[in-house]
Amino acid sequence: MDISTPALASMIALGIIVIISCFKEMNVGILGIAAGLFVGIVFSGLKVAAIFKGWPVGLFMILVGVTFMFACAQVNGTMEKFSAYSVRLAKGNTALIPIIFFFLVTLVTTIGPGNIASTALLAPVGMAIAGRIGVPAMAMTMLIVGAANGAAFSPFAPTGIISNGIIAKMAPQLGIPAESLSSLAWKVHFNSEIVQGLVNFGGFFIFGGLAWMKKQRGGSALNIDEIAPKPEPFTAKQMATLAGIVALVVSVIFLKWDVGAVAFGIGAIFLLFEIADDAKAVKAMPWGVILMVCGMSVLIDIMDQAGGLTAMVKMIGVISNPVTINGVLGFITGIISAYSSSSGVVMPMFLPMVPGLIKEVGGGNPVALISSINIGAHLVDTSPLSTLGALCIASAAEHEDKAKLFRNLMLWGLSMSVVGALVCYVAFGLLGL
């Protein structure tokens, strides 16, 4: 296979950045922009203005609007209080608490904060309660991280917005009409929920969750006030915040309004009525992730123009067919994501390959390939090397052996690259979900 010099240069640049991201904690978005400028100017003869056209303006604006709105909900205490009330739904039934936490994390992630924010919010509470009622830390981690990553592809959550923004850009190549993008987004979200739920509930049962739930039968009822004290009532500003979240969900799902535009409008109302401290909200926004995604998008756009993306598609196509391609993508993305950023590196790198892969292997379902990339990249995030796994270890009860928990999460996370490949192959390749 002949590879042009610009294509080879773009591939080498991307490879170097991926390797760096595996071993050093730094924002690869900056590296992506710098590499895009270098390859574009030196090897492709592009002007700086042409290179910067690769900056995904629409995606950037949606991410800023939505994350600001939910940062307001976070800094004014709305999400924390909502979570506290939700935990108390278990009342005296101990066995329900892990299940409630799974659905609570799912709900909180789905409506907008995203997987990292919801885990940061709920992992300390969930792991502390798990320690008090005897749920193994490893089992509880499975549910918290699995729920967060399963719901991460909600059209309201940052990871889902990133995925859907990339999909919208390549929709014409896939023959997907604009009016179908919303239903496609929910399908991708649904696929993630199902696979993450099955795999991580399996992990919960394997690592002591099932045995613990059996012990609760006939046991004495807990005093919910001891493990989850009743919070103060919602303030007027917090009620207004909840109303804003409901308005966002209703307007996007039922009225089909643009999520970014609605979020900016609601965020402006929050500002005008001082619903939250705007300075704190801006600081709480995930600027690092936003810069990573947009910066890497610049490099991927240059790769596409240089032919590097086409070359990588051909390499993957050599070892794949329309059925096995799902497992191959699940495995490759899982391996890279185990040491690198799922949403900041892996998704911007692999999602744009979908149209080319379908053409190269002679068929395939776009939603299946997109789901394989997204799920493969996120199943491994239970690893302690990921933010989510690390948050759960840090929040585990004092009596837990954290060194052992680290080892178990590491082994589980790495094994998910293989499990993810098998699940994607079966679910999306053989069964055609």
Side-chain angles (χ1 to χ4, degrees):
M1 179 177 62
D2 293 330
I3 302 177
S4 67
T5 300
L8 182 61
S10 67
M11 292 170 66
I12 292 173
L14 177 64
I16 291 172
I17 290 175
V18 170
I19 292 170
I20 290 174
S21 72
C22 291
F23 297 100
K24 291 186 72 68
E25 287 286 337
M26 62 174 60
N27 194 303
V28 296
I30 300 293
L31 297 180
I33 295 172
L37 287 166
F38 178 75
V39 173
I41 294 172
V42 175
F43 292 96
S44 297
L46 297 174
K47 300 293 185 181
V48 173
I51 294 170
F52 283 155
K53 286 182 179 179
W55 181 271
V57 177
L59 175 59
F60 174 79
M61 296 303 291
I62 294 173
L63 282 171
V64 170
V66 172
T67 56
F68 173 74
M69 179 181 160
F70 282 97
C72 289
Q74 185 176 340
V75 300
N76 73 4
T78 301
M79 300 309 299
E80 182 178 356
K81 198 170 288 186
F82 174 79
S83 302
Y85 274 111
S86 300
V87 171
R88 293 177 58 83
L89 294 174
K91 296 184 178 179
N93 195 332
T94 314
L96 284 179
I97 287 183
I99 310 299
I100 287 177
F101 250 93
F102 179 85
F103 287 106
L104 174 59
V105 176
T106 297
L107 175 61
V108 171
T109 305
T110 298
I111 60 176
N115 53 349
I116 295 176
S118 62
T119 304
L121 175 68
L122 294 169
V125 180
M127 298 302 286
I129 290 178
R132 292 177 196 169
I133 63 178
V135 179
M138 182 73 179
M140 195 65 174
T141 300
M142 295 292 102
L143 292 191
I144 292 174
V145 176
N149 278 332
F153 292 95
S154 158
F156 303 104
T159 304
I161 291 169
I162 293 166
S163 173
N164 297 331
I166 298 172
I167 293 169
K169 188 175 180 180
M170 62 187 182
Q173 297 173 268
L174 295 170
I176 299 172
E179 58 269 19
S180 299
L181 288 175
S182 178
S183 59
L184 186 150
W186 285 108
K187 173 63 175 171
V188 170
H189 172 62
F190 177 76
N191 286 347
S192 175
E193 290 275 19
I194 294 299
V195 173
Q196 289 276 3
L198 289 174
V199 172
N200 286 287
F201 261 106
F204 172 77
F205 293 139
I206 290 170
F207 289 103
L210 182 61
W212 176 83
M213 292 183 80
K214 287 180 178 178
K215 287 182 181 179
Q216 307 312 304
R217 294 178 181 175
S220 58
L222 61 86
N223 183 349
I224 193 66
D225 290 319
E226 292 182 1
I227 64 168
K230 186 176 180 179
E232 294 293 322
F234 287 104
T235 65
K237 291 184 178 180
Q238 289 167 343
M239 290 294 289
T241 305
L242 289 173
I245 294 172
V246 171
L248 176 72
V249 173
V250 170
S251 62
V252 172
I253 294 179
F254 297 105
L255 302 179
K256 309 297 182 184
W257 291 354
D258 181 83
V259 62
V262 176
F264 264 109
I266 295 174
I269 293 172
F270 285 178
L271 277 177
L272 291 173
F273 289 91
E274 299 182 341
I275 298 298
D277 186 320
D278 61 295
K280 290 182 180 178
V282 170
K283 288 181 181 179
M285 291 168 63
W287 290 109
V289 173
I290 294 172
L291 181 56
M292 266 198 292
V293 172
C294 294
M296 287 299 293
S297 294
V298 172
L299 175 58
I300 299 301
D301 184 70
I302 295 300
M303 276 190 69
D304 192 17
Q305 295 184 54
L309 212 58
T310 300
M312 292 182 66
V313 164
K314 289 184 179 297
M315 291 177 185
I316 296 174
V318 168
I319 58 173
S320 310
N321 62 44
V323 175
T324 62
I325 185 66
N326 299 283
V328 171
L329 287 174
F331 179 72
I332 296 174
T333 55
I335 289 292
I336 297 175
S337 185
Y339 301 98
S340 189
S341 170
S342 303
S343 56
V345 175
V346 178
M347 286 167 53
M349 177 179 173
F350 282 92
L351 285 176
M353 296 184 192
V354 170
L357 286 170
I358 292 175
K359 183 178 179 180
E360 185 67 26
V361 301
N365 184 332
V367 177
L369 268 64
I370 291 165
S371 295
S372 296
I373 292 168
N374 290 346
I375 292 169
H378 285 79
L379 265 179
V380 300
D381 281 349
T382 316
S383 161
L385 300 179
S386 76
T387 304
L388 307 191
L391 282 168
C392 289
I393 291 178
S395 304
E398 290 298 322
H399 67 266
E400 294 285 354
D401 184 342
K402 295 192 177 184
K404 181 179 179 181
L405 179 59
F406 182 96
R407 290 193 301 272
N408 287 342
L409 287 175
M410 178 68 79
L411 291 172
W412 175 268
L414 292 176
S415 71
M416 286 301 100
S417 59
V418 177
V419 173
L422 291 173
V423 170
C424 291
Y425 169 66
V426 173
F428 307 122
L430 295 180
L431 300 179
L433 297 180

